[in-house]
Structures are given as C-alpha cells and as structure tokens.
Amino acid sequence: MCRLASYTAAVKSIKVRDYPTAIRLLEGVVTREQMNADAFNWLAYATRRGGDPAKSIPIYERALAIDPKHRGAHEYIGEAYLALHNLAKAKEHLARLD
C-alpha cells in the first residue's frame, strides 16, 4: 500500500473507531515520513482513543516538535493529560490554542 493510501486508510479506520488498524497503518507512515506532524498526531489520537493516553503523550510531543503550532496536537494532548488527571499540563496546551 502506498504512503498516501496507508494514511487515508488509517484516517478512515479512526473514523470508524478501528484504532488497532489505524495504529498499525500509521506506524508504517511515520516510519517512512518522520517529519509528518499530521501522521504523528493521528497515531497519538488512535493510541489515546484505543485506551492508552499515557503512551500517546510522547507521540503528541513528537508531532509538536515537528510543528509547534499544530492545533490538533495541542488539543488532543490536552485531552490525554485530562484523562491522566494532569490538569496543569492540559491547561498549558489549552492556553496555546487561544
């Protein structure tokens, strides 16, 4: 499957809440495209929504290292921190959205 097809299939998998498939596809995408902030953001999202908010944090951080203004990554890392009961870090990312 080509890169764009893998990415598109992963996003479709997320939309139907098939997070394991999305994670598998996106891991391949980020291996090949190590500067793709959107792919890292979606990988973190699928990881978090798949039940592992703690594991999603470093993946969101990677997306933000690539694109410090990535609105989706700031929003979703904030949600991950809320799930982990870290209100201070959640507020930090919320402030970046304002």
Side-chain angles (χ1 to χ4, degrees):
M1 188 178 289
C2 77
R3 289 184 293 221
L4 182 57
S6 294
Y7 181 85
T8 301
V11 173
K12 286 180 182 179
S13 295
I14 288 170
K15 292 183 190 274
V16 297
R17 297 183 176 153
D18 181 1
Y19 303 119
T21 298
I23 290 167
R24 179 180 49 78
L25 291 167
L26 287 164
E27 284 175 339
V29 173
V30 300
T31 297
R32 292 185 304 270
E33 299 178 36
Q34 296 183 8
M35 297 304 290
N36 187 333
D38 292 330
F40 277 102
N41 180 57
W42 279 122
L43 175 57
Y45 180 91
T47 301
R48 176 176 60 87
R49 294 297 303 237
D52 198 344
K55 187 176 179 182
S56 74
I57 298 289
I59 305 169
Y60 284 123
E61 288 173 342
R62 173 72 175 152
L64 290 168
I66 296 165
D67 180 0
K69 295 180 180 181
H70 196 289
R71 294 187 59 78
H74 280 294
E75 177 182 350
Y76 296 140
I77 196 172
E79 290 179 14
Y81 280 123
L82 283 176
L84 297 169
H85 309 289
N86 188 336
L87 187 58
K89 290 296 276 184
K91 285 182 176 180
E92 176 185 320
H93 288 279
L94 176 63
R96 294 187 185 180
L97 290 172
D98 288 338

